[in-house]
Amino acid sequence: MLEDHDILVLQRQLRRRLFEGERAITWRPGRELAAQLLLYLDDPQACWRISVQWLRDTLDADRVDAGFGGYVDASGRLHDYVVAAEVQRPSQPLPAVIGLRFSAANPGIRAVWSGSGIAPIIDVSQERSFTQELRATLMQAGTASKLAVPVHDEDRPVGMICADWHHRAPRWKHAVCEELPGLARTALGPLLSAAHRFAQAQSERAGATDHPANLAALTPAELKVAKLAAGGLSYKEIARQLDRSLSTIDHQLRSIREKLGTRSTARLVHMLSELNTSATGRSTPLQ
């Protein structure tokens, strides 16, 4: 099990792996992204937020979403793709997909992880590898075309990152598309896999000392903030969506953590997500 002090050792190991030797990242934008993710290795949610913002800006997409999925845990359970982070073009807002769950057994989803490169879908409405349900879900979310990038750590699926456009046949940035598969496998996969393992270890240790969560103790205003935090939004995003100041959001999250008996926001997000999944059977934001 990873201990808190191991984060520095883990960062040094990954830094050598990513920036030194024959397998080092050579694409400058990819090196800059990997360097930034290393600083947030103890917060997988932040790693996803940084990644989706970077890809949205790099590809000029209308929306980018990402999250863990596709891997088999120690108990043999195959994990679905669950959207943990998203960012949208401010001038072209689309329906939010945060918290949506996509079955890892779906042929279209499975095909992404079994491939070694980007999966370009020019016309979602006509994509034959998608089930009717998957097509309907994506079209309802305003997706006409998309790029799906599998995220692997070596040969093990870790998650997925998807860029969406509301119109068909967007102008793909071919130079970027050529670099993305290698970046996802050599950098994003190892970094996010390490962040995931570290967060799980922290959660297991915190679980032994945290008090059971009591959502009834939260005020209506705090519940709104908790819902957005569980969906992976940053302080700034929560403040903007609720039209409140950053200091107000910080104060409310401190109150929420105190009432729910946890000391870290990362643990709080994990706790809220677990509560919501166990209550609804789906990874959707708290109601």
Side-chain angles (χ1 to χ4, degrees):
M1 180 181 293
L2 291 170
E3 299 290 342
D4 288 343
H5 65 269
D6 288 339
I7 192 68
L8 297 177
V9 175
L10 192 58
Q11 286 172 325
R12 285 196 293 268
Q13 291 173 341
L14 285 167
R15 187 175 291 109
R16 288 194 296 268
R17 175 177 175 178
L18 298 174
F19 302 123
E20 301 173 12
E22 295 181 356
R23 300 179 62 185
I25 307 167
T26 57
W27 186 39
R28 182 175 177 180
R31 289 176 65 89
E32 293 172 351
L33 173 62
Q36 189 175 10
L37 294 180
L38 272 173
L39 299 176
Y40 293 89
L41 205 58
D42 59 344
D43 188 348
Q45 197 66 42
C47 289
W48 281 126
R49 287 198 299 269
I50 293 167
S51 299
V52 295
Q53 184 64 63
W54 177 87
L55 190 60
R56 203 223 70 81
D57 294 342
T58 303
L59 286 177
D60 193 27
D62 293 329
R63 179 182 60 218
V64 173
D65 61 84
F68 292 109
Y71 62 93
V72 178
D73 62 22
S75 67
R77 181 165 68 97
L78 175 64
H79 285 253
D80 296 336
Y81 169 57
V82 179
V83 180
E86 73 166 1
V87 66
Q88 300 194 25
R89 183 194 303 276
S91 61
Q92 186 64 50
L94 296 174
V97 295
I98 273 284
L100 287 185
R101 176 187 293 271
F102 296 89
S103 172
N106 187 292
I109 302 295
R110 193 168 61 243
V112 175
W113 279 309
S114 63
S116 58
I118 284 179
I121 296 93
I122 303 299
D123 186 350
V124 167
S125 67
Q126 300 298 319
E127 179 57 41
R128 293 185 177 183
S129 68
F130 288 173
T131 61
Q132 182 176 352
E133 180 182 6
L134 180 56
R135 281 197 301 270
T137 299
L138 293 174
M139 292 171 66
Q140 188 176 11
T143 304
S145 299
K146 74 185 293 104
L147 287 177
V149 184
V151 178
H152 291 85
D153 183 8
E154 299 295 343
D155 293 326
R156 175 180 176 268
V158 172
M160 188 184 303
I161 186 165
C162 301
D164 293 357
W165 288 264
H166 77 284
H167 55 281
R168 290 191 295 275
R171 296 178 179 177
W172 311 115
K173 294 189 176 182
H174 296 291
V176 175
C177 292
E178 289 176 359
E179 297 285 355
L180 281 178
L183 180 66
R185 183 174 291 273
T186 62
L188 295 183
L191 286 165
L192 286 158
S193 179
H196 193 203
R197 294 195 307 272
F198 189 81
Q200 286 182 321
Q202 284 187 314
S203 178
E204 289 173 4
R205 291 196 301 275
T209 57
D210 283 349
H211 301 294
N214 180 17
L215 295 181
L218 304 184
T219 67
E222 289 171 342
L223 276 172
K224 289 182 180 180
V225 173
K227 170 184 174 180
L228 296 175
L233 273 67
S234 66
Y235 281 37
K236 184 176 180 180
E237 291 167 329
I238 294 173
R240 183 172 62 246
Q241 187 157 331
L242 297 180
D243 193 23
R244 297 174 188 165
S245 67
L246 282 174
S247 60
T248 297
I249 299 303
D250 178 64
H251 175 77
Q252 289 180 311
L253 280 170
R254 288 174 185 270
S255 175
I256 292 168
R257 289 197 299 269
E258 182 178 348
K259 290 180 179 179
L260 298 188
T262 187
R263 291 171 292 181
S264 74
T265 299
R267 170 60 184 163
L268 172 66
V269 170
H270 181 76
M271 179 190 298
L272 292 171
S273 299
E274 282 189 334
L275 280 171
N276 190 54
T277 301
S278 62
T280 67
R282 301 178 59 201
S283 289
T284 52
L286 294 169
Q287 300 299 314

